[in-house]
Amino acid sequence: MEGGYEKSMSFEIRARDLMGRIGILETKSGKVTTPSLFPVINPIRLTLHPSFIEKKMKCKTLITNAMITLKHASNEAREKGIHRFLEFNGVVMTDSGAYQLMTYGNIEASQLEIIRFQEEIGSDIAVILDIPSGGARKKQEAEECVNRTLLNAKESLSQRERRDVLWVGPVQGSPYPDLVERCAAEVGRMDFDVYAIGSVVTLMENYNFDLLVDVVMAAKRNIPLDKPVHLFGAGHPMMFALITAMGVDTFDSAAYALYAKDERYMMPYGTQRLSELEYFPCSCPVCLEYTPKELLKESEEERERKLAIHNLYVSLSEVHAVRQAILDGRLWELLEVKARSHPSLLRGLKRLSEYSRYITKFVPMVKKRAILFCGPESLNRPEVVRHLEKVEKTPQPVEVEVLVILPEVKTRPFYRSKERRILERAVGKLAEEERRKIQFAMKSSLFGVIPEELEEVYPLSQHLTISGENYVKEHIVNAICKLIRSHEYKLIFFPLEGENISSLEKACHEKGAELRVASLPEGRKKWEKIGEIIRELINLRNAVTKES
């Protein structure tokens, strides 16, 4: 107990994929399943009433502005408490008013007043007074915002009294990743229940999703892994999968209401103006009740309300889709689908793939479904990066001298395929001692190269792929080059299937290994020919050994 209130916070992680987490965050007013959207509610101008959001839309979380409430309804909010004031029984998060500071340049309350007010009205999750860096014109100004935020964060530790409120430690510094990193590291050492990344709205509005990735990852890598992370101003639902994949657990958005006011209709992959639509590609209650032309005939106020309902349905539905993708182990696949909806999202995914080595720490070793090859970005997904690192570190048996690269086959694992049986018959005449000199490795369109002894490790036999693209061929050759450079083979056989092998020749030359390539016939004869080549290579290797 502290200050007369018992600590109520706990955060239990139930499932993971990439850095995304399905978790249960416990507050004094109930449990929050993450990832979770907190719709923004303006307590003075209600586009949708909180009770409607709770009862009709089954949304149990929202965020409202403590500063606006303090300014316009302080007595009523204190008397009733924030839940009765809003007529909402779910989990209420209150923002300190930092956005007003960024927008208007000043606020009319001190941090102590804001903290005490949030305690008095019974906020479930409350934010200290941070200084947004998003409005800074120069890096020096953004750095000053970080310094002031850190000072407020430190002072808040002695100013807070209620321990049943989950206190949020804000991370400022955006759009400068190095400032974000510094702020996150220092705030992360302070006692907060939740950490929140701020000042990303401008990045969202300008579609700078690659820089957004740098900012969020700079924060995530420097705050405690066992604490939930919030993102202020998440915006459009097409972003939800990307931010969740970086480990954002909760996020707020006013876009559902702002877009409605501007008569913009949300879809999971973009936005259109209501006047441009002939059909509604949605089955929410609003879209089942109206056609676009019918909705346009309603009053301006009713159009705004109906569009807000639709937009919020789309946003909440996207949260459910992200949760299911985490459970299915298909969050990366969802990212690739989303990336095809806008070039900026594709840039964001490509930037995220640059962090794959770090993300591998959080990706489950085994999932309940096969992974899917959806395009070039799949080649940089964490599972592929992890596999190639493992290939480089896998020790080479002492007796192995010859690396035989085999063509990719559809049947997995390879030892169950008819091609493997044909190959076995073709090399069956080799003595056991000679066979132990050979290591087989299969070309893989997704994983580059798969040594035969690893092929039953998930997901090397549990993936669906495409082949034949030039970028795939380059990926395969690059993976084999890594295998060669990290081992000590004397002789390498590579079946030529249209690849450019100049880098392969270079890798063999660097290692002093002999490279043999051959074009192969199709069908059964391909594997019989490989068997013949293997026997020739072993005989040649034996002859060289005798001469030496």
Side-chain angles (χ1 to χ4, degrees):
M1 301 282 288
E2 184 176 326
Y5 295 96
E6 185 176 353
K7 191 70 175 174
S8 59
M9 187 272 187
S10 70
F11 184 48
E12 178 186 352
I13 297 170
R14 300 283 180 86
R16 298 176 181 268
D17 194 24
L18 304 181
M19 293 175 69
R21 310 185 285 194
I22 291 182
I24 303 297
L25 174 62
E26 188 168 346
T27 77
K28 63 183 176 62
S29 293
K31 297 178 179 180
V32 178
T33 299
T34 69
S36 185
L37 169 66
F38 284 65
V40 175
I41 295 294
N42 185 329
I44 307 306
R45 186 186 186 279
L46 294 175
T47 305
L48 297 179
H49 198 280
S51 63
F52 177 87
I53 292 174
E54 179 186 6
K55 295 173 182 177
K56 297 296 184 180
M57 307 193 74
K58 309 301 181 184
C59 180
K60 306 298 183 182
T61 53
L62 62 76
I63 184 171
T64 194
N65 190 293
M67 180 62 65
I68 293 176
T69 307
L70 175 63
K71 183 176 180 181
H72 295 280
S74 60
N75 291 336
E76 184 180 1
R78 284 190 175 102
E79 180 184 344
K80 293 182 175 179
I82 193 65
H83 296 83
R84 285 182 56 215
F85 172 69
L86 294 174
E87 297 180 35
F88 186 80
N89 296 313
V91 175
V92 177
M93 181 176 182
T94 49
D95 189 10
S96 62
Y99 185 77
Q100 281 63 42
L101 181 62
M102 183 177 73
T103 304
Y104 304 113
N106 61 76
I107 56 175
E108 299 173 358
S110 67
Q111 167 165 272
L112 182 58
E113 289 177 280
I114 291 294
I115 287 176
R116 197 66 68 240
F117 179 68
Q118 291 179 93
E119 291 180 329
E120 289 169 349
I121 63 177
S123 302
D124 297 305
I125 306 173
V127 186
I128 68 164
L129 184 60
D130 54 328
I131 314 299
S133 56
R137 291 165 294 182
K138 298 179 181 179
K139 187 174 182 179
Q140 185 177 358
E141 294 178 10
E143 188 169 14
E144 179 58 27
C145 293
V146 168
N147 292 337
R148 291 171 64 191
T149 295
L150 290 172
L151 179 61
N152 282 356
K154 186 175 181 180
E155 290 179 348
S156 76
L157 300 177
S158 60
Q159 294 171 333
R160 290 146 31 186
E161 293 182 352
R162 289 189 64 160
R163 294 294 294 168
D164 61 340
V165 174
L166 304 190
W167 286 103
V168 178
V171 176
Q172 291 293 341
S174 177
Y176 304 101
D178 58 327
L179 294 183
V180 172
E181 185 174 348
R182 177 195 151 213
C183 188
E186 294 193 34
V187 171
R189 289 191 287 269
M190 301 181 196
D191 181 22
F192 287 98
D193 305 297
V194 180
Y195 296 90
I197 305 165
S199 298
V200 300
V201 172
T202 302
L203 299 180
M204 299 267 197
E205 291 176 343
N206 294 331
Y207 287 77
N208 289 335
F209 299 151
D210 46 353
L211 182 53
L212 172 71
V213 169
D214 288 336
V215 165
V216 174
M217 291 300 292
K220 274 293 298 184
R221 290 186 296 175
N222 288 279
I223 50 184
L225 293 174
D226 61 338
K227 296 291 182 70
V229 174
H230 184 85
L231 183 72
F232 289 121
H236 197 285
M238 68 181 182
M239 293 298 305
F240 293 174
L242 180 61
I243 60 177
T244 299
M246 293 185 283
V248 172
D249 301 293
T250 62
F251 36 88
D252 62 76
S253 176
Y256 76 96
L258 297 175
Y259 284 29
K261 185 175 177 60
D262 199 31
E263 297 198 351
R264 286 186 288 169
Y265 177 94
M266 274 186 177
M267 292 170 279
Y269 49 84
T271 309
Q272 272 189 273
R273 294 198 175 276
L274 178 61
S275 59
E276 298 172 345
L277 290 169
E278 189 71 27
Y279 304 97
F280 282 144
C282 173
S283 297
C284 76
V286 173
C287 296
L288 290 176
E289 181 181 357
Y290 291 91
T291 67
K293 288 182 180 179
E294 289 170 344
L295 187 53
L296 281 167
K297 292 178 183 178
E298 294 284 1
S299 67
E300 181 178 339
E301 182 180 350
E302 187 64 9
R303 281 200 308 274
E304 180 181 348
R305 183 175 180 276
K306 294 293 186 181
L307 281 174
I309 293 172
H310 160 78
N311 290 345
L312 188 51
Y313 267 118
V314 170
S315 299
L316 294 171
S317 178
E318 186 66 17
V319 172
H320 294 155
V322 172
R323 288 179 188 167
Q324 190 62 45
I326 294 173
L327 286 174
D328 291 342
R330 292 276 176 85
L331 186 53
W332 185 275
E333 284 84 349
L334 181 59
L335 288 176
E336 292 205 47
V337 171
K338 293 294 176 185
R340 295 297 180 269
S341 66
H342 197 283
S344 296
L345 274 174
L346 181 57
R347 285 201 305 272
L349 177 57
K350 289 183 175 180
R351 182 61 59 85
L352 181 65
S353 70
E354 295 177 16
Y355 295 91
S356 281
R357 182 167 280 102
Y358 178 77
I359 295 172
T360 56
K361 301 175 185 177
F362 308 97
V363 178
M365 296 296 293
V366 178
K367 300 179 180 180
K368 56 186 179 181
R369 284 178 170 81
I371 66 175
L372 306 179
F373 185 171
C374 301
E377 293 71 39
S378 297
L379 303 181
N380 294 311
R381 62 183 294 158
E383 292 92 341
V384 175
V385 172
R386 179 161 61 196
H387 165 69
L388 292 176
E389 287 185 343
K390 187 172 185 177
V391 165
E392 290 184 272
K393 296 175 182 177
T394 300
Q396 176 181 341
V398 176
E399 62 269 28
V400 168
E401 297 180 355
V402 180
L403 173 64
V404 175
I405 303 297
L406 300 174
E408 187 170 22
V409 298
K410 293 182 180 179
T411 303
R412 302 186 187 93
F414 176 62
Y415 71 81
R416 294 180 180 173
S417 66
K418 64 179 181 180
E419 291 88 353
R420 186 69 168 92
R421 292 193 294 271
I422 296 170
L423 183 61
E424 277 293 326
R425 287 194 292 269
V427 300
K429 296 179 182 179
L430 290 175
E432 184 62 29
E433 182 181 349
E434 293 173 331
R435 293 187 64 168
R436 284 201 297 267
K437 295 178 181 179
I438 304 170
Q439 180 178 10
F440 291 108
M442 284 71 69
K443 294 180 183 179
S444 171
S445 297
L446 180 55
F447 292 98
V449 62
I450 302 176
E452 190 175 26
E453 59 269 26
L454 296 180
E455 65 172 337
E456 287 195 286
V457 176
Y458 180 91
L460 304 182
S461 291
Q462 296 84 14
H463 63 279
L464 300 176
T465 187
I466 59 174
S467 60
E469 302 290 340
N470 286 334
Y471 67 84
V472 170
K473 294 176 181 178
E474 182 180 355
H475 172 62
I476 290 171
V477 170
N478 289 340
I480 294 171
C481 286
K482 289 183 179 181
L483 176 61
I484 292 170
R485 287 192 171 99
S486 58
H487 293 76
E488 302 297 330
Y489 303 111
K490 304 298 182 185
L491 182 61
I492 292 118
F493 167 68
F494 182 85
L496 200 57
E497 297 177 288
E499 299 94 344
N500 182 334
I501 62 169
S502 58
S503 58
L504 191 60
E505 292 171 332
K506 181 179 179 182
C508 290
H509 177 74
E510 290 173 0
K511 296 295 292 187
E514 182 180 354
L515 174 65
R516 292 295 184 93
V517 300
S519 298
L520 302 171
E522 291 300 318
R524 180 186 184 94
K525 291 184 178 180
K526 174 192 292 187
W527 296 92
E528 292 173 346
K529 182 64 175 177
I530 292 174
E532 292 177 16
I533 293 172
I534 292 172
R535 292 197 301 270
E536 292 173 6
L537 293 177
I538 291 298
N539 291 334
L540 176 63
R541 186 69 202 151
N542 289 339
V544 170
T545 303
K546 288 179 181 179
E547 289 178 5
S548 61

